[in-house]
Amino acid sequence: MTKYSDEFKIMVVREYQEGELGYQRLAKKHGVKSPKQIINWVKNYEEFGTEGIIRKKQKKTYSVQFKLDVLSFMKRTGSSVTETALQFGLTNPPMITSWKKTFLDGGAEALDRSKGRPPMSDEAKNRKNKHSDEKEMTYEQQLERENELLRLEIEYLKKLRAFQMDPDGYLEKHKQRYHSNSKKRSD
């Protein structure tokens, strides 16, 4: 979706109000995808002034009840999305279409779900903190950690090679070691 600057929208609306070109020709002249976009700008401008077409800095959130009231009004009166938006002081009519689709797909509960990424879980926060703690290690600590990881990797590769050369002998040897360690612990 193309975002148009506030100045551009105001210029197009004023050009429409001068009466020389209609919605279709203005859309074509200025490269706006749909004349409906210009219709919305003009109606919002006429109803709310420049505030109706200026992009808001913060997105407003609406309650589930408000969304249901808007959808109910639209169904009850047979009003268009644009007319309904103007009735409720909304400057973004496609938002109503989105609410309607959400409601039809998932009911009233679905209207309560917020958009965007959900808040970080406690587990994810802990992982992030742990990761940042690792970054705060001294250079010497980082080298020690790297050495330990390399030792573990070498040990793992040795065992893997031994297993690949003689799988049965390797398993037998480690089975005996496991049993002898188990007996020592039980004694």
Side-chain angles (χ1 to χ4, degrees), residues 100-187:
K100 184 176 180 182
K101 182 181 181 328
T102 301
F103 178 74
L104 293 174
D105 289 346
E109 303 85 39
L111 289 173
D112 195 25
R113 295 187 196 126
S114 58
K115 277 191 167 183
R117 184 179 290 182
M120 192 181 285
S121 69
D122 289 338
E123 184 180 318
K125 285 179 189 173
N126 289 339
R127 266 188 272 137
K128 185 176 180 183
N129 288 340
K130 183 180 177 187
H131 187 67
S132 65
D133 288 346
E134 288 176 6
K135 288 182 181 176
E136 294 173 10
M137 291 190 299
T138 66
Y139 183 69
E140 187 177 304
Q141 289 171 326
Q142 289 174 349
L143 289 175
E144 286 175 3
R145 178 157 169 74
E146 186 178 352
N147 281 340
E148 181 62 27
L149 291 172
L150 289 171
R151 277 190 212 105
L152 289 171
E153 184 179 357
I154 290 169
E155 196 63 36
Y156 169 76
L157 291 172
K158 284 180 182 177
K159 289 181 180 184
L160 179 62
R161 187 179 305 132
F163 175 75
Q164 288 173 336
M165 289 181 172
D166 183 17
D168 295 330
Y170 180 83
L171 290 174
E172 190 61 38
K173 179 180 172 185
H174 285 279
K175 196 183 288 184
Q176 290 171 358
R177 188 180 296 164
Y178 173 75
H179 287 296
S180 65
N181 286 339
S182 297
K183 285 181 185 177
K184 287 178 186 176
R185 287 187 198 137
S186 63
D187 290 340

Side-chain angles (χ1 to χ4, degrees), residues 13-178:
V13 167
R14 290 198 175 134
E15 194 172 338
Y16 171 79
Q17 289 179 329
E18 289 172 5
E20 292 181 28
L21 296 175
Y23 298 124
Q24 199 81 4
R25 287 193 174 157
L26 278 172
K28 193 172 188 176
K29 176 183 175 184
H30 293 291
V32 176
K33 279 187 178 180
S34 169
K36 286 183 180 181
Q37 186 72 66
I38 297 174
I39 293 169
N40 287 338
W41 295 343
V42 170
K43 287 188 178 185
N44 283 337
Y45 183 81
E46 290 171 350
E47 185 72 25
F48 307 110
T50 54
E51 292 297 312
I53 55 176
I54 291 178
R55 205 172 313 133
K56 312 298 181 273
K57 299 295 180 209
Q58 281 187 318
K59 291 189 177 191
K60 186 172 180 185
T61 56
Y62 300 96
S63 69
V64 175
Q65 188 57 54
F66 178 78
K67 294 174 187 178
L68 290 171
D69 290 345
V70 169
L71 295 174
S72 173
F73 172 84
M74 196 166 85
K75 184 175 182 179
R76 199 174 61 248
T77 62
S79 298
S80 71
V81 172
T82 304
E83 293 166 341
T84 304
L86 292 173
Q87 179 68 32
F88 285 89
L90 301 171
T91 59
N92 183 10
M95 181 171 54
I96 297 173
T97 306
S98 173
W99 292 348
K100 184 176 180 182
K101 182 181 181 328
T102 301
F103 178 74
L104 293 174
D105 289 346
E109 303 85 39
L111 289 173
D112 195 25
R113 295 187 196 126
S114 58
K115 277 191 167 183
R117 184 179 290 182
M120 192 181 285
S121 69
D122 289 338
E123 184 180 318
K125 285 179 189 173
N126 289 339
R127 266 188 272 137
K128 185 176 180 183
N129 288 340
K130 183 180 177 187
H131 187 67
S132 65
D133 288 346
E134 288 176 6
K135 288 182 181 176
E136 294 173 10
M137 291 190 299
T138 66
Y139 183 69
E140 187 177 304
Q141 289 171 326
Q142 289 174 349
L143 289 175
E144 286 175 3
R145 178 157 169 74
E146 186 178 352
N147 281 340
E148 181 62 27
L149 291 172
L150 289 171
R151 277 190 212 105
L152 289 171
E153 184 179 357
I154 290 169
E155 196 63 36
Y156 169 76
L157 291 172
K158 284 180 182 177
K159 289 181 180 184
L160 179 62
R161 187 179 305 132
F163 175 75
Q164 288 173 336
M165 289 181 172
D166 183 17
D168 295 330
Y170 180 83
L171 290 174
E172 190 61 38
K173 179 180 172 185
H174 285 279
K175 196 183 288 184
Q176 290 171 358
R177 188 180 296 164
Y178 173 75

